[in-house]
Amino acid sequence: MASKITSSGISSLLGGIIFISAITVHAEPAVRGPEQVQDWQKTGLAFLQTAAAQQTINKTAKNIILFVGDGMGLSTVTAARILQGQQQGKPGEENQLAFERFPYLALSKTYSWDQQTPDSAPTMTAIVTGYKAREGMLSVNHLTARAECDAAKISANSLPTLLEQSAQAGKATGIVTTTRITHATPAANYAHTAMRDWEADSDLPPRCGVKDIARQLIEASPAVRNSLKVVLGGGRAKFMRVDQLDPEYPNKRGARKDGRDLLAEWQALHQQGVYVTDNKGFKAADSARFDTLLGLFEPSHMQYEADRLADKAGEPSLTEMTEKAIQRLQRSPKGYFLQIEAGRIDHAHHAGNAKRALLDTIMLSDAVARARAMTSVEDTLIIVTADHSHTLTLAGYPHRGNPILGVVKDVPEQDGAPVSESKDELGLNYTTLGYANGPGAQHPRHAITAADSEDVEYQQAALVPLKSETHGGEDVAIFASGPQAHLFRGVMEQNWIYYVMRHAFGF
């Protein structure tokens, strides 16, 4: 006998259908990554296969290239990685900077002999001499008194640098930076002084008997002078007399009060050398012909990468300078030591300006990629590290692919719901990037638009108001590729980097 369907039964049946429909039909997520489910296993196994096949190169290095991203802490690396990926139309998080593909990685403890959070002078001293020094001091030991003006005491406490040792061994050497060539990081390679700020004689206190940093470069030992084939950066005012007009800025003059034109002296010492001040001269300099190249492209620091193309006289990029330096140094039969600094990462962070810092970090990545492509992993050790960190943070809960320079937008709590801006306790939106301190704290809090946060002049919010944002004290990364790169491991004291490099050279 057939069952009878009543109206109440129909209602019950329909209710069941509605219930089943509700649990089987799902709205699409408002945010999604590009990966398929199987991609996680695929990429994980590919990593494992590559790692298992990695062979150490346990032999002497002919060449060492030391890249220093000044102030390039881990948060800077992360944010730059995401920004570069987003510039390529990707979410960004899955991207890798060139040096992040290097097979060996360690952490570097950056404290100096007397600082918990250090400055660039003792940190670079540690990297190139093997000794942790005092705040503000370059390649002298910690027995040196503050503002020591006795040249004999400076000489007694001087520490030999890897560049100086490379010169003694007959290797060619080079220094490339986007800061003044007399600034702390590049200067630590060749200068020995109790005060990093003594860049020109006009910076010295009265009756001080030590040489200023620019003079130390020109009056370097014969071994260093003969080895130093490429010097590229900014800071020409430190080498020029106060009565000399700058070739690019007619309203600017040199900084020297001792009557010496150190650029003319350099040219007299390097008859086969080439001195250039702009991109035209730089491009015209044939690396197969000149013996030595000195390029000083600004009276002070070079332009940020964000502003470089607008420079009136034109400046080469860090990648272009890296390429030119390697082309010249590769002519040395005994190999070379080359130190390259992306120095303006640090300056942008001090200004509370993350965009300029990240764009300079991306350019550093490009320079590293070019250096690795131009050299052999079998004979050239490439190291990429930072001297110290900064207080940059990535915070909030931004969704995958959220513009790294933009305001925080969360993943919706329910699929199908749109993303929306996160709000603070004042009901205002805020950016993913911020600083623990700095000039951004001086601005009143207000609603932020995409145009605000993407502007190259934008200063991210900060907690503690300071005229200049400070360094950060956490560990920084060391990335390495080439002979003896496997010796970088674990958590290292920063000065151990020198000992790995010295060992790699067989000194």
Side-chain angles (χ1 to χ4, degrees):
M1 181 177 177
S3 299
K4 186 181 293 185
I5 301 176
T6 63
S7 59
S8 60
I10 293 172
S11 298
S12 177
L13 181 61
L14 289 174
I17 292 171
I18 293 169
F19 174 75
I20 292 170
S21 174
I23 63 172
T24 58
V25 178
H26 300 289
E28 291 296 319
V31 178
R32 62 177 68 212
E35 301 86 3
Q36 303 297 317
V37 171
Q38 62 270 23
D39 289 341
W40 303 112
Q41 184 182 61
K42 181 180 178 181
T43 56
L45 292 175
F47 164 78
L48 184 62
Q49 183 178 29
T50 301
Q54 184 66 47
Q55 298 291 317
T56 60
I57 303 175
N58 195 18
K59 58 184 181 181
T60 301
K62 181 180 180 181
N63 316 304
I64 294 178
I65 304 176
L66 171 64
F67 284 93
V68 177
D70 198 313
M72 188 179 70
L74 291 173
S75 57
T76 301
V77 173
T78 302
R81 170 204 308 154
I82 295 172
L83 179 59
Q84 185 190 57
Q86 291 178 347
Q87 289 175 330
Q88 298 167 357
K90 304 171 184 176
E93 297 83 4
E94 72 294 335
N95 183 51
Q96 284 185 308
L97 298 172
F99 48 83
E100 293 184 292
R101 303 187 188 100
F102 282 9
Y104 299 102
L105 173 70
L107 292 178
S108 169
K109 296 194 287 183
T110 64
Y111 69 92
S112 61
W113 185 75
D114 59 354
Q115 285 178 302
Q116 193 173 73
T117 298
D119 77 285
S120 294
T123 50
M124 192 59 185
T125 295
I127 291 171
V128 297
T129 72
Y131 292 85
K132 294 211 174 196
R134 295 185 66 185
E135 182 270 335
M137 298 190 183
L138 292 173
S139 297
V140 291
N141 65 36
H142 65 252
L143 302 178
T144 308
R146 178 78 58 202
E148 178 61 72
C149 273
D150 186 325
K153 291 181 179 178
I154 290 296
S155 178
N157 291 337
S158 289
L159 301 168
T161 72
L162 191 70
L163 185 145
E164 292 168 333
Q165 292 170 321
S166 299
Q168 289 289 344
K171 292 182 179 291
T173 60
I175 304 171
V176 174
T177 181
T178 52
T179 69
R180 294 188 297 269
I181 202 69
T182 51
H183 211 236
T185 301
N189 290 286
Y190 63 85
H192 306 270
T193 183
M195 292 291 286
R196 58 172 287 180
D197 295 331
W198 291 348
E199 297 182 47
D201 69 298
S202 56
D203 301 318
L204 293 168
R207 296 176 295 282
C208 188
V210 302
K211 296 179 182 180
D212 61 82
I213 294 171
R215 184 180 163 193
Q216 289 192 51
L217 178 63
I218 302 303
E219 297 181 4
S221 70
V224 171
R225 188 167 65 243
N226 292 332
S227 80
L228 199 51
K229 300 302 183 183
V230 182
V231 178
L232 300 172
R236 59 179 174 253
K238 302 297 183 180
F239 298 82
M240 297 167 55
R241 300 191 311 266
V242 292
D243 63 340
Q244 289 178 300
L245 296 177
D246 186 82
E248 184 179 355
Y249 306 95
N251 60 331
K252 295 185 178 182
R253 296 176 180 270
R256 302 200 66 82
K257 295 180 178 179
D258 58 3
R260 295 178 64 175
D261 179 353
L262 295 186
L263 296 175
E265 292 184 27
W266 181 90
Q267 290 171 303
L269 289 168
H270 299 87
Q271 296 292 322
Q272 304 302 314
V274 176
Y275 170 56
V276 298
T277 62
D278 56 25
N279 202 28
K280 181 180 178 181
F282 173 82
K283 290 184 175 180
D286 186 346
S287 56
R289 293 179 179 274
F290 65 76
D291 178 67
T292 308
L293 176 63
L294 174 63
L296 299 177
F297 302 103
E298 286 286 338
S300 185
H301 305 300
M302 292 181 67
Q303 300 287 340
Y304 290 109
E305 181 58 26
D307 311 313
R308 181 176 60 83
L309 294 180
D311 181 64
K312 181 176 63 174
E315 297 178 7
S317 69
L318 185 65
T319 299
E320 291 167 333
M321 292 192 292
T322 296
E323 181 176 38
K324 184 85 76 175
I326 293 173
Q327 287 171 342
R328 170 59 190 90
L329 296 176
Q330 283 177 334
R331 290 163 46 193
S332 171
K334 292 187 177 181
Y336 59 85
F337 171 70
L338 172 61
Q339 193 262 305
I340 301 170
E341 182 201 22
R344 305 226 65 195
I345 298 170
D346 175 75
H347 297 164
H349 280 320
H350 280 308
N353 179 213
K355 185 170 185 176
R356 283 193 172 95
L358 301 187
L359 291 175
D360 271 45
T361 304
I362 292 170
M363 177 53 70
L364 172 64
S365 173
D366 292 343
V368 172
R370 189 72 191 109
R372 187 73 284 174
M374 293 179 68
T375 57
S376 169
V377 72
E378 293 296 322
D379 67 7
T380 303
L381 171 62
I382 297 182
I383 303 160
V384 183
T385 190
D387 48 354
H388 55 74
S389 185
H390 272 272
T391 71
L392 180 73
T393 62
L394 285 75
Y397 299 98
H399 67 73
R400 179 77 180 273
N402 197 81
I404 192 64
L405 293 170
V407 299
V408 173
K409 295 182 180 180
D410 291 348
V411 175
E413 293 186 3
Q414 292 184 335
D415 285 344
V419 297
S420 59
E421 293 182 354
S422 301
K423 300 295 174 65
D424 65 13
E425 291 299 307
L426 300 176
L428 297 171
N429 61 0
Y430 57 94
T431 57
T432 302
L433 301 180
Y435 291 94
N437 58 47
Q442 299 170 11
H443 304 312
R445 294 279 287 119
H446 60 83
I448 306 162
T449 67
D452 290 334
S453 64
E454 292 283 348
D455 191 278
V456 74
E457 302 293 343
Y458 183 73
Q459 292 176 311
Q460 276 70 23
L463 177 62
V464 178
L466 292 175
K467 182 178 180 180
S468 176
E469 180 265 355
T470 72
H471 297 169
E474 72 272 16
D475 299 349
V476 298
I478 308 168
F479 306 88
S481 169
Q484 307 299 328
H486 60 280
L487 297 179
F488 291 104
R489 60 188 183 88
V491 180
M492 300 173 57
E493 296 290 349
Q494 189 169 48
N495 62 303
W496 297 353
I497 297 172
Y498 164 82
Y499 293 98
V500 175
M501 291 192 294
R502 188 180 73 173
H503 173 77
F505 263 161
F507 291 168

XYZ file of all heavy atoms in Angstrom, residues 44-56 103-104:
111
model
N 57.259 21.423 -1.042
C 57.981 20.890 0.109
C 58.955 19.793 -0.295
O 60.113 19.773 0.168
N 58.518 18.887 -1.155
C 59.391 17.814 -1.619
C 60.510 18.359 -2.501
O 61.641 17.856 -2.474
C 58.577 16.766 -2.371
C 57.591 15.954 -1.506
C 56.746 15.037 -2.383
C 58.346 15.157 -0.449
N 60.217 19.401 -3.302
C 61.246 20.012 -4.135
C 62.328 20.642 -3.274
O 63.532 20.527 -3.568
C 60.627 21.056 -5.062
N 61.916 21.300 -2.189
C 62.897 21.876 -1.256
C 63.763 20.785 -0.648
O 64.993 20.913 -0.570
C 62.185 22.649 -0.143
C 63.076 22.931 1.034
C 64.013 23.948 0.985
C 63.000 22.161 2.189
C 64.854 24.204 2.061
C 63.839 22.404 3.265
C 64.756 23.420 3.200
N 63.126 19.713 -0.214
C 63.862 18.625 0.414
C 64.880 18.019 -0.551
O 66.029 17.740 -0.181
C 62.889 17.549 0.896
C 63.498 16.379 1.662
C 64.156 16.854 2.944
C 62.430 15.334 1.973
N 64.473 17.845 -1.794
C 65.358 17.266 -2.800
C 66.568 18.168 -3.044
O 67.709 17.700 -3.122
C 64.590 17.038 -4.098
C 65.396 16.359 -5.193
C 64.565 16.121 -6.440
O 63.628 16.870 -6.738
N 64.891 15.076 -7.184
N 66.316 19.479 -3.145
C 67.409 20.425 -3.361
C 68.355 20.452 -2.166
O 69.579 20.460 -2.315
C 66.847 21.835 -3.624
O 66.006 21.801 -4.773
C 67.966 22.833 -3.842
N 67.782 20.461 -0.963
C 68.600 20.505 0.250
C 69.456 19.252 0.381
O 70.638 19.319 0.753
C 67.710 20.685 1.470
N 68.888 18.102 0.071
C 69.624 16.842 0.190
C 70.759 16.742 -0.823
O 71.782 16.094 -0.568
C 68.659 15.667 0.018
N 70.579 17.381 -1.961
C 71.593 17.316 -3.013
C 72.678 18.379 -2.860
O 73.667 18.360 -3.586
C 70.923 17.475 -4.384
N 72.509 19.307 -1.899
C 73.463 20.398 -1.740
C 74.830 19.877 -1.322
O 74.957 19.136 -0.347
C 72.947 21.408 -0.701
C 73.811 22.630 -0.518
C 73.844 23.499 -1.756
O 72.809 23.780 -2.338
N 75.029 23.918 -2.142
N 75.866 20.256 -2.048
C 77.229 19.838 -1.753
C 78.037 21.030 -1.250
O 77.997 22.099 -1.835
C 77.892 19.256 -3.007
C 77.214 18.015 -3.566
C 77.364 16.815 -2.665
O 78.445 16.564 -2.138
N 76.282 16.076 -2.472
N 78.756 20.844 -0.160
C 79.621 21.919 0.329
C 80.810 22.110 -0.620
O 81.271 21.151 -1.250
C 80.150 21.601 1.732
O 80.902 20.390 1.684
C 78.999 21.454 2.723
N 72.203 28.917 -0.283
C 71.991 27.668 0.457
C 72.310 27.733 1.948
O 71.856 26.874 2.711
C 72.924 26.684 -0.252
C 74.006 27.532 -0.836
C 73.336 28.816 -1.228
N 73.084 28.710 2.382
C 73.511 28.722 3.779
C 73.071 30.012 4.474
O 73.120 31.097 3.898
C 75.029 28.548 3.871
C 75.468 27.222 3.284
C 76.039 27.165 2.015
C 75.256 26.031 3.972
C 76.411 25.942 1.458
C 75.619 24.812 3.417
C 76.193 24.773 2.167
O 76.538 23.575 1.606
